[in-house]
Amino acid sequence: MKLSEILKGIDVLNKYSDAEVIDVTQDSRLVKEGSLYVCVKGNTFDGHSVAEEMLENGAAAVVVERDLGLDKQVIVSDTRSIFSSVCANFFGNPAKNLKLIGLTGTNGKTTTTFLIKQILELTGKMVGLIGTVQNMVGDEIYPAKYTTPDPYELQSLFKKMVDAGCEYCVMEVSSQALAQGRVNGLQFHIGAFTNLTQDHLDYHKTWENYFNSKRILFKNSDIAITNADDKYGLEIVKDLPCKTVTYAVNTNNADYCAKNVKFKSDGVEYEIVSDFIGRVSCPIPGRFSVYNSLCAAAVALSLGIDYKSVLTAISKSNGVKGRIEVVPTNTDYTVIIDYAHSPDGLENIITSLREIAKNRVVTLFGCGGDRDRTKRPKMGKIAAELSDFCVVTSDNPRTENPSAIIEDILEGMKGVSTPYVVVENRKDAIRWAMENAQPDDIILLAGKGHETYQILPTGTIHFDEREAVAEILGD
């Protein structure tokens, strides 16, 4: 592909010589003969520092933010912001042939995207999915490294979807991806908002930055579907030109309302009230399943799908790995794995389990290292106040001392009478919880969810909680 084609629509600040380009990248390790190297300045490495070396290694050209005096340089004002457009042009702008549905919010994105995909597929649509657990092109699964991939991988996935005949792409859009411009240039047919609570402040630094990054999605959406019960649900779309559709459980002032909610051990039931009334039966337990399925229904209905088909599809939906996932144990207690790793997420899952618990809710949890430390005492307080017993352990300590993270958690548990035990090794903690379980207990393993690894100060190890439970039962 010609360099001029890849740069189409991008404001270039200098004259350059056209060239044949075989690949594009912002990773200097991936540069090969004929690559276009986009120099991006990160927190620890500035791509501009190796621009000349990349040309010596055979790069067709380098894209830079300042004049480096190089023969094959292309100067733009912001290399990070244009990389998404560069990748889109390279892959032939495949997203223009897809109806993009983007989900953002602190909690509920993964489950809701899966629900939307399942609804659309059960009504005969071909759908791609991008998110935390995995990426999918129809039924074909691709591993997911990030919630929202980098622009090159993202556009590559879009191309695969178009080639496979997908009409829709349902994707989680993270705050980091929005802030870093990974979805720059994309126009979403629908942008949907789940909720907003404290998370990722280690990256965004301020709440305002976190909120404003989420808001970017709706600036680039034709239709905004938002949670009217959330205090930020209407604010996030305020003064934006997109059409706004609302859903709610606690208020009647919404386009789609959930009424007469019933919580069961195997799911939730409620009536969806709009210009019609229909009974929803969602086979995923928990209060937040009402919000997730209601949001998914609002998306599908906004796409013009018949409401009876939507209700039928929700009733046939499958759960999502690591989201209120019941682990087979053949015991008189229940083990549930959930990805809850924020204060609000932990509060939601424990509260939901309390509504169906016949005996104790035992919460096993930790907090991630090298992440927002202010979450730790908050999560400790929430777990202690809402659980009958807590097992405090490690999550992904990363480069931090696990015991120091645990001390931060325990600060929030002071003054709460709920009994707890500290077992730093996570597998040992799971063993302790299972060996000390009482009949009809629910043991919640919170924080890891779909992950099959643990990031320790010594490196990353394989760790799948499903396997850990099975091994403990087999000992």
Side-chain angles (χ1 to χ4, degrees), residues 313-434:
I314 291 175
S315 70
K316 295 180 178 179
S317 61
N318 304 314
V320 181
K321 183 179 181 181
R323 270 63 176 179
I324 329 179
E325 179 184 350
V326 179
V327 184
T329 61
N330 195 28
T331 64
D332 59 4
Y333 58 86
T334 302
V335 176
I336 290 179
I337 292 175
D338 194 84
Y339 190 50
H341 61 283
S342 66
D344 184 66
L346 194 61
E347 180 178 359
N348 283 341
I349 182 63
I350 300 173
T351 300
S352 292
L353 295 180
R354 293 214 67 84
E355 292 171 335
I356 60 174
K358 296 178 181 178
N359 194 18
R360 302 184 306 167
V361 174
V362 177
T363 301
L364 182 149
F365 74 108
C367 291
D370 302 332
R371 298 293 186 268
D372 182 7
R373 287 187 60 181
T374 66
K375 291 198 306 185
R376 298 171 187 173
K378 293 178 182 178
M379 289 177 66
K381 187 173 188 292
I382 287 167
E385 288 180 341
L386 298 179
S387 308
D388 298 295
F389 195 97
C390 293
V391 182
V392 185
T393 185
S394 282
D395 192 305
N396 289 323
R398 298 182 176 86
T399 65
E400 286 194 62
N401 186 329
S403 62
I405 297 173
I406 289 171
E407 286 301 316
D408 288 342
I409 294 171
L410 296 181
E411 279 295 315
M413 300 175 72
K414 289 180 177 178
V416 183
S417 61
T418 301
Y420 68 87
V421 64
V422 174
V423 184
E424 183 178 301
N425 180 281
R426 194 168 180 102
K427 184 175 181 180
D428 291 344
I430 295 171
R431 183 187 301 277
W432 191 98
M434 292 171 63

Side-chain angles (χ1 to χ4, degrees), residues 104-121:
T104 199
T106 306
N107 299 304
K109 296 189 297 295
T110 299
T111 300
T112 307
T113 53
F114 270 84
L115 282 169
I116 294 168
K117 183 175 189 288
Q118 290 161 11
I119 292 170
L120 292 173
E121 287 178 337

Side-chain angles (χ1 to χ4, degrees), residues 44-56:
T44 58
F45 176 75
D46 185 352
H48 293 79
S49 65
V50 295
E52 187 173 4
E53 180 185 344
M54 294 302 101
L55 290 173
E56 292 170 356

